[in-house]
Amino acid sequence: MRSEDWRVEGYRGMDAYVLVTSHHDASAGAVGDTQTWGYEVRVAQEGADPSDAGDTEVLSSGAHVFASRHAAEVAAFGAAYALIDRLLGPAR
């Protein structure tokens, strides 16, 4: 995992790692390629190695794509925070 490609934010004592990637869709019906964006999220205990699959929760945008890099990143961090909330339960 190359650290310069990932963004990380701390949330409730855990680290949320987000990687946003572009995709080119030639079947979008427009002239030329259309660029869309997706994401991968990894959630780990604060300071843990996010490439260690045993201590990391992973999810991705899957087939859902976004029109801009910013939209994908916002959605990715939202998904990461929701995953952390599910793992840790309600905040006290």
Side-chain angles (χ1 to χ4, degrees):
M1 192 168 113
R2 293 184 10 219
S3 63
E4 65 270 9
D5 294 337
W6 291 80
R7 292 216 31 228
V8 62
E9 291 184 4
Y11 179 71
R12 296 185 64 193
M14 300 196 67
D15 287 334
Y17 292 85
V18 166
L19 175 65
V20 176
T21 55
S22 65
H23 309 277
H24 293 282
D25 184 4
S27 65
V31 176
D33 288 348
T34 301
Q35 186 174 22
T36 57
W37 299 85
Y39 64 77
E40 181 179 335
V41 169
R42 294 182 183 202
V43 171
Q45 289 291 329
E46 194 170 47
D49 180 1
S51 63
D52 182 359
D55 294 329
T56 305
E57 296 289 329
V58 179
L59 59 96
S60 72
S61 59
H64 192 86
V65 294
F66 301 87
S68 71
R69 178 181 186 87
H70 178 73
E73 189 171 286
V74 169
F77 277 111
Y81 299 154
L83 176 58
I84 291 169
D85 286 341
R86 283 193 306 274
L87 291 170
L88 298 180
R92 296 176 192 203

